Amino acid sequence: MKSRNPVLTSRWHGTTFRVRYQETDQMGVVYHANYLSWFESGRTEMFRELGFAYRSLENMGVLLPVTTADLQFKSPARYDDLVAVYARLTTFSALRVVYEYEIRRLAGTETGDPEAFGLAGGSAPADVEQLPGELLVTGSTSHVWLNTDWKPVRLDRVLPELFLAITMALREEGGAV
């Protein structure tokens, strides 16, 4: 039986920046907890590219806290590295959201723009090796929709217009149903 609320995924969205000195530890590598902050930057910018801001969600009375986080470390980032955080939704439903991330070190000629690698305008490919840069960290975070009293809610019932708008934005960018 097919769900009446489809689970949508998105294409990869990327944001780039340079590693700051204060993000590194005594060994000269990025302190592991900073990657969670980078995940947040990635998902915030991804959501913004879809046409929504987290602040506007909160102003509408819904919250999206992290319920689980998973990180796998492949290679360390270091001070002044140019890194890209790639984020995509693997699940968007009325109850929860799941993001997948890749953090990659970019070479001087790489821009980190997923469109430059044919990743825009359609479903994200299963082969993420097409993303530019050296893979440093992979991971995911899960989130649930809550109201301002920290009670779980179904987004399609409490803010149907927001649920529809996000669903349409994902479909427009080629998200899979």
Side-chain angles (χ1 to χ4, degrees):
M1 182 163 116
K2 191 170 183 172
S3 170
R4 31 181 218 128
N5 294 317
V7 175
L8 298 174
T9 60
S10 74
R11 67 173 175 83
W12 288 103
H13 294 260
T15 186
T16 61
F17 55 89
R18 290 219 174 259
V19 175
R20 299 174 301 173
Y21 186 78
Q22 70 263 25
E23 294 171 314
T24 62
D25 61 18
Q26 188 175 5
M27 296 178 288
V29 300
V30 170
Y31 178 66
H32 67 277
N34 285 314
Y35 293 103
L36 288 169
S37 177
W38 294 358
F39 282 6
E40 183 174 352
S41 293
R43 71 178 170 264
T44 299
E45 292 307 313
M46 190 221 87
F47 221 61
R48 189 182 317 280
E49 285 182 35
L50 287 174
F52 307 94
Y54 267 20
R55 180 179 299 242
S56 66
L57 298 178
E58 292 172 351
N59 290 340
M60 289 181 210
V62 291
L63 307 171
L64 202 53
V66 175
T67 57
T68 61
D70 182 51
L71 292 87
Q72 298 85 43
F73 299 95
K74 313 292 184 192
S75 187
R78 299 180 186 281
Y79 169 66
D80 207 36
D81 281 349
L82 179 61
V83 296
V85 177
Y86 297 100
R88 70 176 174 178
L89 283 170
T90 57
T91 301
F92 169 76
S93 74
L95 300 172
R96 67 188 183 103
V97 176
V98 179
Y99 291 90
E100 180 180 9
Y101 309 92
E102 290 204 2
I103 297 176
R104 292 177 170 261
R105 179 181 7 258
L106 301 176
T109 58
E110 294 172 314
T111 67
D113 181 5
E115 289 189 28
F117 291 83
L119 302 179
S123 298
D127 179 10
V128 294
E129 292 304 314
Q130 293 181 32
L131 289 170
E134 175 192 356
L135 183 61
L136 304 177
V137 176
T138 62
S140 64
T141 57
S142 298
H143 309 254
V144 294
W145 294 105
L146 301 179
N147 63 21
T148 55
D149 293 326
W150 283 77
K151 303 288 185 204
V153 295
R154 287 187 57 99
L155 188 61
D156 60 344
R157 292 184 184 156
V158 297
L159 288 170
E161 66 284 351
L162 177 61
F163 181 78
L164 181 61
I166 295 170
T167 300
M168 296 309 296
L170 289 171
R171 286 195 176 134
E172 283 176 19
E173 78 158 15
V177 177

